Amino acid sequence: MDKVIEMKEITKVFPGTTANDNVDFTLLKSETHVLLGENGAGKTTLMNVLYGLYQPEKGQIFVRGKEVKITNPNDAIKLGIGMVHQHFMLVHNFTVAENIVLGMEPKKGVKLDINKAIKDVEELAKKYGFNIDPNAVIEDIGVGQQQKVEILKALYRGAEILILDEPTAVLTPQEIEELGIIIENLKAEGKSVILITHKLKEVMSMSDRVTIIRRGKVTGIVNTKDTSIDELAELMVGRKVNLIVEKKESKLRGEVLKIENLHANDNRDLPAINGINLSINGGEILGIAGVDGNGQTEFLEVLTGLRKPQNGKISLNGKDIFGKTPREIVDSGVGHIPEDRHKRGLILKYSLFENSILGMQHKAPFSKNTVIDYKKVREFAQKIIKEFDVRTPNDEVHASALSGGNQQKLIVAREISKNPDLLIAAQPTRGVDVGAIEFIHKRLVAERDAGKAVLLVSFELDEVLALSDRIAVMYDGKIVGILDRKDADEQKLGILMAGGSLDEKEVSKVE
């Protein structure tokens, strides 16, 4: 088969770390090739070199057999290389069509020919089987649709080689299936796809070959049909990984959180939470399953003080926290691993030691009379960075310099270190590699075994099933059923997630 990309001995160095150390990578025509590795292994860095965002210290790049110098993304685009980044780069108040043609707009005189733009986008979407409205405004569509816009944007610019960085990190199971179909359609057109991902099931279902990178070096190149999830996990982290969550029988320790008839509106002031009744005990993990957009985000925002509820009751250890501020809720004993780590979990321009005490900066031992004791802060930061294996040169680097998984581990470390009575974990392993997933899962189970109440909200059904003692399903802003874990499976949860119903004997509680 033809080599469309060949990267030889690529080396990229940042202060304090060698991100790529003599890396070789080859992409063939009409194949899907996965770059697999731990967070911070150097996968995205390698692709940023290919896309012209970084310049390597040494190495060669060949496109279709010809050596090239890619000094910026425009060079890459001219060579037929497109990249969809993990965090989308769209103008939120522009339409789908306006975003796709941005920078290459069809003109009528000196003005944008919006009718032609819409027609071009419709034809392109139809060609690749994308169901998307070119007139929709980006801020009004879900992340799955936004990802399609990014892919269409690359294809509009003539991409024959498409790099997808963590493409399933923010997608529902249904959207992941759609993405798999899209990738097959692209390959059928003769295009080649590079996937950066941590999700081993998707590696097995979507790829033809896999290159594994660990700490900047290639540790293996395998044909997908000749490998297994266990082998890939071991190549990825350098040791055997236990992919099964081990936990003892739960020992309940009394009610921690009680929610009664909770109602709240969304950003458009329309009902988003429609009468939720729920309780969580110490010593258990209660999982919330559901398709994205059924009120989970608004529900968590109410529980953490980020959204004002309309009415209802919320009590923590018998104390009323309904409508309290985020600080009051944190101080009452709630830890929060947010679903959007950049928006809610970190201040990216702050150092790791500053981020390590967010939510605790006003309390002893970190502060006295509004003066922060930076010695105590640094000691604390270094302790949790070591305990939670946050990969960083030091605690002074900005949070923005960490890989997504290491950012997530820092947030998990901080929230667990608050010793909360209730730990709210929203998408706790989104965009995180298999080694870090194993670690985070163990820490959540340890919190549960220590008698804490854990509320887990995840779009990963495997994760909900693996961790939960009970599973509540949200649909249209309501809890439509609660199942004991021993009675739950993907089929039953899928029926409830789609708005269907089960036999009353199969559901321990229906609202």
Side-chain angles (χ1 to χ4, degrees), residues 109-144:
V110 295
K111 293 184 178 181
L112 167 66
D113 187 344
I114 189 63
N115 291 328
K116 186 174 190 316
I118 290 169
K119 183 181 177 184
D120 289 347
V121 169
E122 285 175 338
E123 289 176 355
L124 192 64
K126 184 177 180 182
K127 178 179 180 181
Y128 293 103
F130 287 44
N131 181 21
I132 197 160
D133 178 5
N135 293 303
V137 177
I138 294 297
E139 63 188 3
D140 294 334
I141 64 177
V143 289

Side-chain angles (χ1 to χ4, degrees), residues 161-314:
I161 297 153
L162 198 61
I163 305 163
L164 304 178
D165 188 0
E166 297 290 355
T168 63
V170 294
L171 301 185
T172 65
Q174 294 87 342
E175 288 168 335
I176 291 168
E177 286 184 22
E178 284 183 33
L179 178 64
I181 294 168
I182 287 166
I183 289 171
E184 288 302 314
N185 290 342
L186 291 171
K187 285 168 57 180
E189 285 277 328
K191 301 187 188 302
S192 304
V193 180
I194 303 170
L195 289 182
I196 302 172
T197 185
H198 302 112
K199 298 184 180 180
L200 296 178
K201 282 172 68 175
E202 288 153 27
V203 174
M204 298 300 293
S205 65
M206 291 185 183
S207 68
D208 300 300
R209 286 193 301 150
V210 185
T211 292
I212 302 99
I213 299 179
R214 185 166 74 245
R215 302 201 177 187
K217 294 178 181 286
V218 173
T219 58
I221 302 170
V222 297
N223 293 317
T224 307
K225 62 182 175 61
D226 299 327
T227 191
S228 67
I229 284 179
D230 288 338
E231 181 186 15
L232 289 175
E234 188 170 351
L235 284 168
M236 186 173 161
V237 300
R239 61 176 174 81
K240 289 193 178 295
V241 178
N242 185 4
L243 298 170
I244 298 170
V245 177
E246 295 179 349
K247 56 184 178 25
K248 306 169 189 172
E249 193 75 23
S250 62
K251 294 182 179 178
L252 302 183
R253 303 194 184 188
E255 186 177 76
V256 172
L257 180 73
K258 186 172 185 178
I259 301 164
E260 299 176 81
N261 195 30
L262 185 64
H263 290 260
N265 292 343
D266 62 17
N267 291 338
R268 297 170 296 169
D269 209 29
L270 298 173
I273 303 171
N274 301 303
I276 286 180
N277 295 287
L278 198 63
S279 67
I280 309 174
N281 299 298
E284 74 167 339
I285 298 175
L286 176 70
I288 302 278
V291 176
D292 190 13
N294 277 279
Q296 298 97 320
T297 297
E298 291 84 359
F299 179 51
L300 293 177
E301 288 175 347
V302 167
L303 292 184
T304 54
L306 296 167
R307 179 178 298 274
K308 290 297 180 185
Q310 302 304 113
N311 52 61
K313 292 182 180 179
I314 308 172

Side-chain angles (χ1 to χ4, degrees), residues 360-405:
M360 301 180 283
Q361 71 276 5
H362 60 293
K363 297 195 294 188
F366 308 119
S367 176
K368 185 176 181 181
N369 298 325
T370 73
V371 178
I372 291 179
D373 184 339
Y374 281 100
K375 184 174 182 289
K376 293 276 176 60
V377 174
R378 297 289 293 274
E379 288 172 354
F380 174 75
Q382 289 163 9
K383 175 178 175 290
I384 66 170
I385 285 169
K386 182 179 179 181
E387 182 183 346
F388 285 77
D389 190 29
V390 180
R391 305 277 174 87
T392 176
N394 55 62
D395 64 3
E396 294 179 357
V397 302
H398 288 180
S400 60
L402 293 188
S403 67

